[in-house]
Amino acid sequence: MSDVTSAKGGRSEYGVALLLAALGSWAIIDGLRLGDTASRGPVSASTVPVAVGLLLLAMAVLLVVDLVRGGRGEPEGGEDVDLSHGSDWRTIGLLVAAFAFNALFIDLLGWPITGAVLFFGATFALGGRHYVRQALIALVLSVGTWYLFFLGLGLKLPAGLLQGIL
């Protein structure tokens, strides 16, 4: 490994530690701002965010200590990863489009429709080519999760165009 690669890798790993510290601080500050009106029982609403924030800060400190001692992460060496090929931007673009469609139209069309488009789009982007089967599974998954959230958890996902039918 060249000195340039070594130095660049070290800086990026310090960047990860900085990101962990920033996220941990954010979680702690946000957690302490939560009002205690929503808590039920001995544990307040801020307990989990503060605990997660403290763990993130601890991981940041441990990573910096490891880096100062000379520790470095190993490059990806998985057997199913071909590092000579670049990113598959078509697949990434299709996945982003499916998620963006869901985010933009969930209130208008509802979860059962946008969820089906999201599930179908993900399977299509990842190489599925049995369109009818994928569409049926996507529809069953989206309507099923809508009912699971509505009946099982008491959460109302938007029904959109299917309001009154579901």
Side-chain angles (χ1 to χ4, degrees):
M1 180 177 352
S2 71
D3 291 333
V4 173
T5 307
S6 176
K8 185 176 181 183
R11 284 194 314 262
S12 67
E13 290 171 339
Y14 282 111
V16 171
L18 183 64
L19 177 65
L20 287 172
L23 289 173
S25 300
W26 181 27
I28 291 170
I29 291 168
D30 240 15
L32 292 175
R33 288 183 187 167
L34 289 175
D36 208 21
T37 59
S39 66
R40 296 179 188 165
V43 178
S44 72
S46 64
T47 303
V48 172
V50 170
V52 168
L54 290 172
L55 288 173
L56 285 169
L57 287 176
M59 291 299 104
V61 169
L62 290 173
L63 179 57
V64 169
V65 168
D66 182 52
L67 292 172
V68 168
R69 290 182 176 176
R72 294 287 180 257
E74 293 183 22
E76 176 64 47
E79 61 188 48
D80 62 343
V81 177
D82 186 3
L83 298 176
S84 65
H85 287 77
S87 298
D88 183 2
W89 292 107
R90 178 184 177 272
T91 300
I92 294 170
L94 289 171
L95 287 170
V96 167
F99 277 97
F101 179 86
N102 182 281
L104 292 172
F105 293 106
I106 191 168
D107 288 329
L108 177 66
L109 301 176
W111 169 256
I113 295 172
T114 61
V117 171
L118 174 66
F119 295 140
F120 180 84
T123 59
F124 178 80
L126 296 173
R129 295 298 178 253
H130 299 278
Y131 303 127
V132 174
R133 180 175 62 197
Q134 287 170 215
L136 290 174
I137 291 172
L139 192 60
V140 167
L141 276 174
S142 65
V143 172
T145 54
W146 187 87
Y147 275 114
L148 175 72
F149 274 80
F150 185 73
L151 298 175
L153 300 173
L155 300 173
K156 296 180 182 180
L157 293 176
L161 297 177
L162 299 177
Q163 184 70 33
I165 297 173
L166 294 178

